[in-house]
Amino acid sequence: MARNGGREHYRATAADQEAHQRARRPKPAKLALLPALRAVVEEKLALSWSPEQISGWLRRRFPSDSAMQISHEAIYLSLNDPRRRRAIDRRLTQRLRTGRPIRQPRAVRRSTGRGIIRDMVSISRRPAEVEDRTVPRHWEGDLVMGSRPSAIATLVERTSRFTAVVALPDGIKAEQVTPHLTRHLLGIPAPMRRTLTWDRGREMAEHRTITATTGMPVYLCKPRSPWQRGTNENTNRLLRQYLPKNADLRKYSQEDLDSIAAELNNRPRKIHGYRAPSEVTLTS
């Protein structure tokens, strides 16, 4: 049989065509090929889970089933690439934290100091046990601003990342914040209240009243140092998915904010092996 013809030539050509098909770009999206996987991913996106949370949860939920696993980058690609429209409902980009159909690099935001507070206790005096998170029940907090002067307060437990969101219907001055914040802290069981770390904002001018009422020492961060309460900063970024910067946050009732907090507390977190904060037991 001729070297360049006949059956051997056919086999070589078929192999070349198969290799060519494998190398074509863009490849068919995994979500387009696996309807069951797509359904689960769309369900979790609709609950405002991030692609990374979905990917980690799937590995934990289906450890031996590769057909029910997908990387977070593959989810982003299906959402962001117009050529893959049939892979997933691209309207779900609205449920991402940014709400944007195209990924963009995060801008660096510079923080500013917000006044001097009398008799404040610096974070440098905070117990060393708070730093490594081995001892739970230490909290971080801050305000999340909407259209001024509207705001809400956030509280995050450092070990579990359990979150509470506090309505501030009266305003953001210390005498307006303190009653609502104190009431919410008193709703946390006493053994769960050890310390509170807060940004150095004027809303904490009555920190001594908070400490006297709740038994929680309040430690204030250094100026322009949001990383000193990084757990709370990360949580506040998650909340922007629900509470836009230009929204009047006074229209959200405490019930509304409790529902938002419940969603966050039931989302899987990478830091917990994709368990949710509500699943993390505080045993110390």
Side-chain angles (χ1 to χ4, degrees):
M1 211 173 260
R3 182 174 182 181
N4 294 322
R7 189 174 302 167
E8 291 300 323
H9 176 69
Y10 171 79
R11 289 176 179 171
T13 302
D16 289 342
Q17 289 176 344
E18 184 179 351
H20 175 71
Q21 288 296 326
R22 287 198 303 267
R24 289 184 63 188
R25 295 295 188 273
K27 289 184 176 181
K30 187 173 185 178
L31 292 175
L33 300 174
L34 300 172
L37 177 61
R38 170 179 172 167
V40 173
V41 170
E42 288 184 336
E43 175 190 353
K44 300 307 181 184
L45 285 171
L47 293 174
S48 299
W49 289 25
S50 73
E52 186 176 40
Q53 289 169 337
I54 295 170
S55 177
W57 179 84
L58 286 170
R59 289 197 301 271
R60 180 173 166 233
R61 178 67 178 80
F62 304 100
S64 302
D65 188 354
S66 61
M68 290 300 294
Q69 297 181 22
I70 187 170
S71 71
H72 67 282
E73 286 295 340
I75 299 175
Y76 274 120
L77 187 59
S78 293
L79 284 168
N80 298 147
D81 188 348
R83 294 172 297 178
R84 296 170 178 250
R85 285 183 183 275
R86 288 176 292 180
I88 197 170
D89 185 352
R90 295 185 72 246
R91 291 173 297 180
L92 289 168
T93 55
Q94 299 171 12
R95 302 294 290 171
L96 297 175
R97 291 166 196 163
T98 62
R100 293 190 293 261
I102 301 297
R103 297 172 76 182
Q104 297 179 2
R106 181 184 299 167
V108 177
R109 180 177 64 88
R110 297 184 64 183
S111 178
T112 58
R114 291 185 292 175
I116 299 174
I117 302 172
R118 293 183 180 180
D119 301 321
M120 68 176 185
V121 184
S122 172
I123 191 173
S124 61
R125 296 171 57 185
R126 192 173 65 173
E129 68 180 33
V130 183
E131 296 297 330
D132 58 12
R133 305 178 194 268
T134 56
V135 178
R137 301 158 193 172
H138 297 282
W139 296 76
E140 296 179 4
D142 192 19
L143 298 188
V144 171
M145 301 300 302
S147 59
R148 290 186 178 273
S150 70
I152 53 91
T154 58
L155 295 165
V156 186
E157 199 283 318
R158 281 174 54 84
T159 299
S160 65
R161 277 68 170 181
F162 191 88
T163 301
V165 188
V166 184
L168 300 174
D170 305 321
I172 59 175
K173 295 182 179 179
E175 62 270 21
Q176 298 166 328
V177 171
T178 298
H180 297 287
L181 183 59
T182 301
R183 188 181 310 113
H184 215 90
L185 289 170
L186 289 174
I188 300 172
M192 290 290 297
R193 305 193 304 259
R194 292 202 179 188
T195 67
L196 176 61
T197 301
W198 201 273
D199 189 27
R200 193 176 293 193
R202 293 179 182 177
E203 70 275 6
M204 275 293 111
E206 296 186 0
H207 63 93
R208 289 175 298 178
T209 300
I210 295 173
T211 297
T213 306
T214 65
M216 298 177 73
V218 178
Y219 299 96
L220 300 180
C221 298
K222 296 179 181 178
R224 297 174 294 281
S225 303
W227 61 86
Q228 293 187 327
R229 19 169 291 285
T231 302
N232 186 236
E233 282 286 296
N234 291 337
T235 301
N236 290 348
R237 280 196 288 270
L238 300 182
L239 282 169
R240 282 302 184 193
Q241 188 171 358
Y242 304 91
L243 307 171
K245 291 183 179 180
N246 59 353
D248 184 352
L249 302 186
R250 291 170 295 189
K251 71 180 182 180
Y252 293 89
S253 67
Q254 186 59 59
E255 184 178 354
D256 294 332
L257 298 178
D258 288 343
S259 296
I260 292 172
E263 280 202 26
L264 289 184
N265 291 329
N266 285 288
R267 281 197 204 177
R269 302 293 181 90
K270 183 178 182 180
I271 192 69
H272 296 320
Y274 294 100
R275 291 181 298 160
S278 59
E279 298 178 87
V280 177
T281 304
L282 303 179
T283 57
S284 298

